[in-house]
Amino acid sequence: MYNITSKIAEEFISDSEIRDTMLYAQENSANRALVKEILHKARECKGLSHREAAVLLECNQPDLIEEMFELAREIKHKFYGNRIVMFAPLYLSNYCINGCVYCPYHGKNKTIRRKKLSQEEIRQEVIALQDMGHKRLALEAGEHPVHNPIEYILESIKTIYSIKHKNGAIRRVNVNIAATTVENYRRLRDAGIGTYILFQETYNKTNYEVLHPTGPKSDYAYHTEAMDRAMQGGIDDVGIGVLFGLETYRYDFIGLLMHAEHLEATYGVGPHTISVPRLCMADDIDTADFKNAVPDEVFYRIVAIIRIAVPYTGMIISTRESQQSRARLLELGISQISGGSRTSVGGYVNEETPEENSAQFDVADHRTLDEIVEWLLDLNHIPSFCTACYREGRTGDRFMSLIKNGQIANCCLPNALLTLKEYLKDYASPQVREKGEAMIKRLLQSVPNEKARATADKYLNAIDDGKRDFRF
Ligand code: SAM
């Protein structure tokens, strides 16, 4: 039985509610009046229910789809402006005891090179990432009680935060590790993590059990209830996502929104971010073996409708997506992207040959961070290295109220410009520096509050004089 605030996976992600919603959406897919009504409601920026969003996704009338794209662009601009937050993944270890059939880390894979970084190797990787200009990382690891226990993850976080190299610093460490206990979530919170990220992979329990035949991850309820335990452990910024391509996109799109609704209804704060990875080729994984690949055009609609349905939630895409698809997705609601990423363990220091492969999947965007920053500037997006909210204690509902009160323009815009300025001074090529400085000059004028504008100007001059790490 569907119960949005239940703590039991099969009640807040109810299979029958998802199937009823799919049916309802199909029956109403040609109902123009209903689609118009839903779009009208969405314009108030208070979000949509999973049922309403599912109707939008089923609609195949070109003019209404164009209206959805247009609305997604407007909402993105209203809440996020044209800022794009930059991050990079850091793979700590690919030892894993799970049996996920789509992931090359699965325990039975004998062809992948297994590797776990020592604390000294982490230092070297972090220095390489700092030298690119990164300030925000997403830690990634397989699940292995002996090689990657929680103590290893905690020690690694401590190491990462302690490294100060030239003007570099990692100011926010997000963590993407397997579902764990309330006690371990508390320890992660105490270690000062930013967002705890865990992808559901699929919300379809039957299919989930086929895709995860062995290992601790095979427990659907334990995995699905992980964010509830994270919240109990005091982590109020959680990031959810599904791996598109495993299950029909219709099922997982609805499940994803139901999960977001559950967190909002139960804890008063929805997910901080939603990730939308698509399945990629990898060491012993062939995407042709999976029958639910999501075509680009459908994927763009999924992203746009998520933007409309949960206007305050950050949306992330990784280098799994190509430059071309990223350009489109940035317009439709994405607020965070990775850049210069390596998905291999130790890949920032040592470029691997194909034989040495330890990577999790093949990336589609191979550009350097500086190339991506230049590309964003050319497309009139502001590359932002901001980590201010979490460092100022604006997490969970305090972050949401900042966004809901529209203080973005006086707070997030100056923070984006200040961190871009640091990047330009310390890491950019001369040509990127020139383009970036021009953008800063232009956009400083659009900070509405006079006092905030003057303070930002003062901080920008101080960065020119060699000072760092200012924030609103
Ligand atoms: N081991 C943890 C877990 O199981 O949740 C950490 C996450 S894993 C390092 C990061 C994510 O990569 C997975 O949650 C999965 O969605 C994604 N992934 C795995 N195999 C992939 C593939 N072949 N293509 C694209 N993404 C993949």
Side-chain angles (χ1 to χ4, degrees):
M1 201 216 295
Y2 178 41
N3 178 355
I4 190 172
T5 53
S6 165
K7 304 268 170 64
I8 297 168
E10 284 182 71
E11 292 182 357
F12 65 82
I13 304 292
S14 150
D15 178 67
S16 63
E17 172 59 21
I18 295 182
R19 290 184 192 283
D20 285 353
T21 303
M22 281 161 62
L23 208 62
Y24 169 79
Q26 264 156 22
E27 282 166 5
N28 284 287
S29 63
N31 185 341
R32 286 185 68 88
L34 179 63
V35 171
K36 286 249 174 214
E37 195 185 304
I38 294 171
L39 284 172
H40 184 74
K41 179 181 169 194
R43 278 182 205 288
E44 291 168 19
C45 298
K46 298 210 173 81
L48 295 176
S49 70
H50 60 272
R51 283 211 168 210
E52 292 163 333
V55 172
L56 295 188
L57 190 60
E58 270 324 299
C59 166
N60 53 14
Q61 306 190 26
D63 61 322
L64 295 177
I65 292 173
E66 199 37 60
E67 231 180 278
M68 289 174 214
F69 285 150
E70 205 39 59
L71 183 56
R73 275 186 208 107
E74 273 173 39
I75 292 179
K76 157 94 197 281
H77 271 267
K78 182 161 178 193
F79 292 108
Y80 286 91
N82 51 352
R83 292 167 301 112
I84 299 292
V85 169
M86 307 301 305
F87 77 98
L90 174 57
Y91 282 78
L92 295 179
S93 165
N94 62 5
Y95 284 95
C96 195
I97 56 167
N98 285 313
C100 317
V101 303
Y102 50 85
C103 177
Y105 287 4
H106 68 87
K108 291 207 180 84
N109 186 356
K110 298 280 179 266
T111 58
I112 198 162
R113 185 175 60 110
R114 300 286 171 177
K115 179 139 181 55
K116 169 190 173 181
L117 298 179
S118 67
Q119 296 306 307
E120 181 48 35
E121 286 169 324
I122 292 174
R123 255 182 70 78
Q124 298 306 323
E125 288 283 287
V126 169
I127 286 173
L129 283 156
Q130 289 185 3
D131 279 342
M132 290 159 73
H134 279 296
K135 301 279 187 262
R136 175 189 291 244
L137 299 184
L139 290 196
E140 309 278 341
E143 181 166 13
H144 199 294
V146 177
H147 285 291
N148 323 327
I150 192 73
E151 289 74 21
Y152 169 69
I153 306 290
L154 294 168
E155 190 187 0
S156 305
I157 295 169
K158 206 166 164 193
T159 299
I160 294 166
Y161 278 134
S162 74
I163 300 163
K164 304 283 177 287
H165 162 73
K166 300 186 182 160
N167 283 333
I170 298 303
R171 298 172 180 161
R172 179 177 179 128
V173 177
N174 298 333
V175 174
N176 181 6
I177 59 163
T180 187
T181 59
V182 174
E183 180 49 30
N184 285 347
Y185 285 125
R186 199 165 287 127
R187 295 169 81 184
L188 286 168
R189 187 217 39 203
D190 293 345
I193 69 162
T195 312
Y196 171 66
I197 299 166
L198 182 70
F199 301 156
Q200 178 63 29
E201 322 300 7
T202 177
Y203 286 95
N204 183 327
K205 181 169 185 278
T206 311
N207 194 11
Y208 183 96
E209 287 169 353
V210 174
L211 292 162
H212 305 94
T214 53
K217 194 167 169 178
S218 60
D219 185 339
Y220 175 82
Y222 191 72
H223 190 80
T224 311
E225 293 158 11
M227 294 315 189
D228 296 78
R229 291 194 300 281
M231 290 273 183
Q232 282 169 47
I235 297 177
D236 53 4
D237 279 355
V238 299
I240 62 174
V242 291
L243 184 53
F244 282 103
L246 298 180
E247 169 54 67
T248 65
Y249 67 83
R250 293 184 168 91
Y251 194 104
D252 275 338
F253 171 82
I254 297 167
L256 189 63
L257 291 179
M258 283 172 72
H259 199 178
E261 288 167 349
H262 162 69
L263 295 172
E264 172 98 45
T266 313
Y267 304 100
V269 41
H272 188 68
T273 54
I274 292 181
S275 297
V276 286
R278 282 196 283 184
L279 190 67
C280 300
M281 297 292 281
D283 182 63
D284 73 337
I285 307 296
D286 188 345
T287 47
D289 295 338
F290 296 81
K291 302 293 168 232
N292 290 309
V294 184
D296 288 348
E297 278 309 315
V298 176
F299 190 58
Y300 301 152
R301 277 158 59 192
I302 289 173
V303 168
I305 300 169
I306 294 176
R307 177 69 303 142
I308 294 171
V310 279
Y312 311 120
T313 302
M315 279 181 79
I316 305 179
I317 44 163
S318 69
T319 52
R320 291 176 183 87
E321 294 298 324
S322 67
Q323 172 174 348
Q324 186 197 10
S325 105
R326 292 177 123 198
R328 188 82 203 276
L329 293 163
L330 287 176
E331 286 294 326
L332 298 177
I334 296 297
S335 56
Q336 275 191 44
I337 65 170
S338 48
S341 305
R342 299 273 189 282
T343 62
S344 49
V345 182
Y348 293 106
V349 171
N350 294 311
E351 192 85 57
E352 291 185 331
T353 64
E355 295 71 43
E356 294 170 327
N357 187 22
S358 69
Q360 200 192 14
F361 52 84
D362 300 347
V363 304
D365 186 341
H366 295 274
R367 291 172 294 169
T368 63
L369 182 61
D370 203 51
E371 284 166 344
I372 291 186
V373 167
E374 180 168 20
W375 170 73
L376 289 171
L377 292 168
D378 288 343
L379 294 175
N380 203 28
H381 294 288
I382 314 170
S384 170
F385 294 84
C386 180
T387 54
C389 273
Y390 128 92
R391 295 167 77 218
E392 289 290 315
R394 292 190 297 256
T395 61
D397 52 357
R398 291 170 303 277
F399 168 78
M400 291 298 168
S401 68
L402 176 86
I403 278 214
K404 290 179 186 173
N405 295 338
Q407 273 312 303
I408 291 278
N410 287 317
C411 188
C412 303
L413 174 60
N415 280 333
L417 298 180
L418 292 168
T419 55
L420 173 60
K421 175 83 177 181
E422 288 187 338
Y423 175 83
L424 300 175
K425 290 290 288 183
D426 292 336
Y427 309 105
S429 59
Q431 139 191 349
V432 172
R433 190 171 308 136
E434 198 177 312
K435 290 181 184 181
E437 291 287 1
M439 175 180 271
I440 292 173
K441 204 166 161 200
R442 199 170 72 245
L443 291 182
L444 183 62
Q445 306 315 318
S446 54
V447 175
N449 181 300
E450 206 176 306
K451 200 164 153 230
R453 200 182 326 129
T455 309
D457 195 28
K458 189 176 82 188
Y459 289 164
L460 286 165
N461 289 326
I463 294 172
D464 267 330
D465 294 340
K467 303 218 172 51
R468 295 291 177 271
D469 202 11
F470 296 99
R471 61 179 180 265
F472 285 79

